[in-house]
Amino acid sequence: MVKTNEPGYVYILTNPSFREDWVKIGKSARPVDIRSKELDNTAVPLPFEIYATIQTVKYNDVEKHVHKTIDRLTDLRIRQNREFFNVPPQIALDIFNDIAKMIDDAVVTVYVDNKPVCHNEKDSLPVVQKRTVKRGRFKFSMVGIKIGECVTFIPTDTEVKVASDDSVEYEGRIYKLSPFVGTFMPEEKRNTSGAYQGAKYFSYKGKVLDDLRSIIESNIPLPESDVIQSNKDMSEELQQKLRDQLWEVANRLRGNMSASDFMYFTLGFIFYKYLSEKIETYANSALDDDEVTFKELWEMTDSDAPELQEEVKNQCLENIGYFIEPKFLFSSVIEAIKRKENVLPMLERSLKRIEDSTLGRDSEEDFGGLFSDIDLASPKLGKTADDKNMLVSNVLLALDDIKFGVEASQEIDILGDAYEYMISQFAAGAGKKAGEFYTPQEVSRILAEIVTLGHNRLRNVYDPTCGSGSLLLRAASIGKAAYICGQEKNPTTYNLARMNMLLHGIRFSSFKIENGDTLEWDAFDDMQFDAVVANPPFSAEWSAADKFNNDDRFSKAGRLAPKKTADYAFILHMVYHLNEGGTMACVAPHGVLFRGNAEGVIRRFLIEKKNYIDAIIGLPANIFYGTSIPTCILVLKKCRKEDDNILFIDASKEFEKVKTQNKLRPQHIQKIVETYRDRKEIEKYSHLATLQEVSENDYNLNIPRYVDTFEEEELIDIKAVMAEIKELEAKRAELDKEIEGYLKELGLVE
């Protein structure tokens, strides 16, 4: 049990995925090596590394003092009220040393490769040398092993099944590799530390996993007989199964509802189940040493129970951002359903408890109002209370039968993919409303690939009209973005975006999604981003109020975007938030390329005065849900390497027709991205237009002015055509005579 008078720790953590001057500074009542492993269950792609700790009974006060000290220096927090700081780890260590001199029991420990290397209670410690970047955690995909295949636990020659990219299934339970080794290692073979590198204790087709990884990472070719198939679509089967299962559940709710109505009920229930499974898994793991489960702890009546309950609750709030008491878990609702109870009041309380648990916490803005669109009293669920209860109960029971695999995958790739699939299916049935929340995956891919070119890792990414967040997530994933920002006007879609982030394993401290009209209220002030992506509403109206003439976003262009067509208001807004080395890519209607008056002035400003426009890419018509109009992608940069031309790509004729929609296939996407990357000129496809050429066209960017896609028709042989006509006329004359003969025989003509 946790004792308040025992010493705890304040820690400095680094991460190979972070910049060198980023650290996390937090506290823990338990050893920091345990705490850092818990924090690996976040959105960071690589495990945290311990840089240094300070141990003292006053660890709560020390943490506050360290945070305040850094805040006094300057505004160095990566995000306010978070434990991430833009401070070199050595400076943070210097602060630890200074504080330690004033506290009798304080012990500062420096770590290298997550192992303590020196202690010092009072004196300053030497500068720790920069460490080498650790290898990331082992993933089966690194060596081409598919989900469903078997690997062998070497010490006992036990065969286990691969359950996800970093876990195995054995006797109905899911294990990460290292915990599996720690659990099943024979006593005589255990090491003194109890720590194991899981990949060293498993083999595949007779070869140790860690050895296979080393071979692949060193680019040593394997013998032909040992070549392992690429794992590109390793989880496709599982993903499709989950997609089908969830879509079947969704259709049980559908009834007479519109696509948008039943979408929010279905996705909300999926999200509730996910949050319940996640917190139960996390809490059970945190209670391993106490030999009690999450549910058992809340049933205990001894005097020490409340203290431990509070500690578990605080850990959950600190690390995963929310808390659910066991009696409000999804599994508890299922138990009530099986008891034939009316679960609607319980379900409503459960959803409200999740939101309320975050009040006053760092995660409040990410969880507040998440379930506000789930109206369990809605007549759309049934005429009577019993009808509503029966429908909702049946849907929840169906969801209960589906394995989400929360234990199997920290990254929630499979569930996140299924959730994206659900959104796309809803979009397909939502008609014009679909554009409010969903950008087709193919278009998202193009935008994401373009804005991440030239970046090994993005510090941040931004979408000012983020909808359900699919485009934003795509860009963040490809660019390995450390921080994700977005804004969405529609409250319901805003909730959907936040759910989407969390379901994709994005930690609450790693994203900020705001609700509001981007143009009328800029939630991100003067923040600038490495990448900006967007699919704004086409030719929407906005206020174009006089106050915007003094708004830094729009004032320098000389004119405001027209009230009836806000396209250039969005474009200027995005440019404003783009940093000097970043890339912006957005979807727009073709009208932005050639419309005159105010839009013509703004377009000329962006080309002539700023030289920001890098490329124009024409897309096929009918690729967006709810509209068949052809669209284009605008790519802008503030600092262009090749700043004497604009690349025009006409990809409008390269697509595949699928039912009523045109689809971009991987080869089409690849061609667009490669042409942009290499700035290639391809006949009838792309052209590098000089700025002089654009000027001579009066800054009209209409693609046909620069890319000639005209296909000459075959020359017509006039003589052959005339001969064919004569032949046809002769045949007609013969037929006329034949018909006339028949008519005379019938007495119809004389």
Side-chain angles (χ1 to χ4, degrees), residues 144-210:
I145 299 174
K146 296 182 178 182
I147 292 175
E149 292 193 87
C150 292
V151 294
T152 302
F153 179 49
I154 299 169
T156 60
D157 200 30
T158 303
E159 195 170 82
V160 297
K161 186 180 292 185
V162 177
S164 79
D165 204 12
D166 61 352
S167 67
V168 294
E169 181 181 352
Y170 180 62
E171 294 184 342
R173 291 194 63 185
I174 303 295
Y175 299 87
K176 301 293 184 185
L177 294 187
S178 295
F180 183 98
V181 178
T183 303
F184 296 102
M185 178 68 76
E187 196 63 38
E188 67 273 11
K189 297 182 179 180
R190 292 183 175 275
N191 59 37
T192 55
S193 70
Y196 303 93
Q197 294 182 22
K200 292 184 176 181
Y201 297 88
F202 288 86
S203 65
Y204 177 74
K205 296 183 178 179
K207 290 185 169 52
V208 178
L209 297 187
D210 194 63

Side-chain angles (χ1 to χ4, degrees), residues 262-321:
F262 83 96
M263 172 176 69
Y264 297 114
F265 281 108
T266 306
L267 296 181
F269 293 154
I270 292 171
F271 187 60
Y272 169 48
K273 183 186 181 193
Y274 162 71
L275 291 180
S276 294
E277 291 187 5
K278 183 177 178 70
I279 198 166
E280 191 166 8
T281 300
Y282 178 84
N284 284 336
S285 176
L287 289 164
D288 274 348
D289 293 340
D290 297 282
E291 298 183 348
V292 64
T293 68
F294 184 37
K295 287 186 174 180
E296 290 169 348
L297 175 60
W298 255 257
E299 293 171 356
M300 291 170 57
T301 57
D302 64 271
S303 59
D304 290 329
E307 188 178 358
L308 185 56
Q309 288 173 357
E310 189 65 20
E311 175 67 17
V312 170
K313 180 179 178 180
N314 287 331
Q315 282 189 40
C316 290
L317 287 166
E318 179 184 349
N319 296 307
I320 59 177

Side-chain angles (χ1 to χ4, degrees), residues 133 413 439 447 526 565 570 587 621 634 663 682 705 714 717:
V133 176
D413 286 335
T439 301
L447 295 173
D526 57 354
T565 51
F570 285 112
V587 182
L634 275 65
K663 294 285 186 181
I682 302 172
R705 288 180 177 245
E714 284 186 40
D717 188 337

Side-chain angles (χ1 to χ4, degrees), residues 189-231:
K189 297 182 179 180
R190 292 183 175 275
N191 59 37
T192 55
S193 70
Y196 303 93
Q197 294 182 22
K200 292 184 176 181
Y201 297 88
F202 288 86
S203 65
Y204 177 74
K205 296 183 178 179
K207 290 185 169 52
V208 178
L209 297 187
D210 194 63
D211 293 342
L212 281 173
R213 179 184 181 180
S214 297
I215 291 171
I216 291 171
E217 289 179 341
S218 58
N219 293 318
I220 299 172
L222 290 167
E224 186 65 30
S225 60
D226 293 331
V227 173
I228 301 172
Q229 181 181 347
S230 169
N231 200 38

Side-chain angles (χ1 to χ4, degrees), residues 37-282:
K37 290 176 182 175
E38 292 172 353
L39 291 170
D40 290 344
N41 189 21
T42 67
V44 294
L46 296 174
F48 281 99
E49 296 181 354
I50 308 170
Y51 190 90
T53 64
I54 181 169
Q55 183 182 22
T56 172
V57 171
K58 300 178 180 179
Y59 66 99
N60 286 302
D61 295 331
V62 169
E63 184 207 38
K64 292 177 183 176
H65 189 67
V66 173
H67 288 182
K68 286 181 180 179
T69 299
I70 297 175
D71 286 339
R72 287 191 187 103
L73 293 173
T74 183
D75 186 15
L76 293 175
R77 291 199 191 222
I78 296 170
R79 185 178 174 193
Q80 283 302 112
N81 302 318
R82 305 295 194 219
E83 294 180 345
F84 294 88
F85 297 86
N86 188 184
V87 175
Q90 181 61 43
I91 292 180
L93 177 59
D94 291 341
I95 296 171
F96 273 27
N97 291 327
D98 290 340
I99 293 173
K101 293 175 182 178
M102 299 180 284
I103 301 176
D104 291 337
D105 71 330
V107 178
V108 176
T109 304
V110 175
Y111 288 70
V112 172
D113 293 329
N114 283 326
K115 297 178 182 177
V117 294
C118 56
H119 302 272
N120 199 318
E121 297 184 5
K122 299 299 173 191
D123 301 324
S124 293
L125 291 163
V127 174
V128 179
Q129 297 297 312
K130 184 178 178 181
R131 330 155 192 209
T132 58
V133 176
K134 285 176 60 179
R135 291 202 305 175
R137 286 173 292 178
F138 175 84
K139 300 291 181 72
F140 287 109
S141 58
M142 294 173 175
V143 295
I145 299 174
K146 296 182 178 182
I147 292 175
E149 292 193 87
C150 292
V151 294
T152 302
F153 179 49
I154 299 169
T156 60
D157 200 30
T158 303
E159 195 170 82
V160 297
K161 186 180 292 185
V162 177
S164 79
D165 204 12
D166 61 352
S167 67
V168 294
E169 181 181 352
Y170 180 62
E171 294 184 342
R173 291 194 63 185
I174 303 295
Y175 299 87
K176 301 293 184 185
L177 294 187
S178 295
F180 183 98
V181 178
T183 303
F184 296 102
M185 178 68 76
E187 196 63 38
E188 67 273 11
K189 297 182 179 180
R190 292 183 175 275
N191 59 37
T192 55
S193 70
Y196 303 93
Q197 294 182 22
K200 292 184 176 181
Y201 297 88
F202 288 86
S203 65
Y204 177 74
K205 296 183 178 179
K207 290 185 169 52
V208 178
L209 297 187
D210 194 63
D211 293 342
L212 281 173
R213 179 184 181 180
S214 297
I215 291 171
I216 291 171
E217 289 179 341
S218 58
N219 293 318
I220 299 172
L222 290 167
E224 186 65 30
S225 60
D226 293 331
V227 173
I228 301 172
Q229 181 181 347
S230 169
N231 200 38
K232 181 180 179 182
D233 50 9
M234 172 187 70
S235 59
E236 186 174 334
E237 185 177 343
L238 283 178
Q239 286 175 334
Q240 191 57 53
K241 182 180 178 181
L242 185 56
R243 289 172 179 177
D244 295 343
Q245 288 175 318
L246 291 175
W247 189 244
E248 182 182 348
V249 172
N251 281 311
R252 294 189 189 188
L253 256 177
R254 188 166 190 166
N256 295 321
M257 295 186 196
S258 68
S260 57
D261 284 331
F262 83 96
M263 172 176 69
Y264 297 114
F265 281 108
T266 306
L267 296 181
F269 293 154
I270 292 171
F271 187 60
Y272 169 48
K273 183 186 181 193
Y274 162 71
L275 291 180
S276 294
E277 291 187 5
K278 183 177 178 70
I279 198 166
E280 191 166 8
T281 300
Y282 178 84

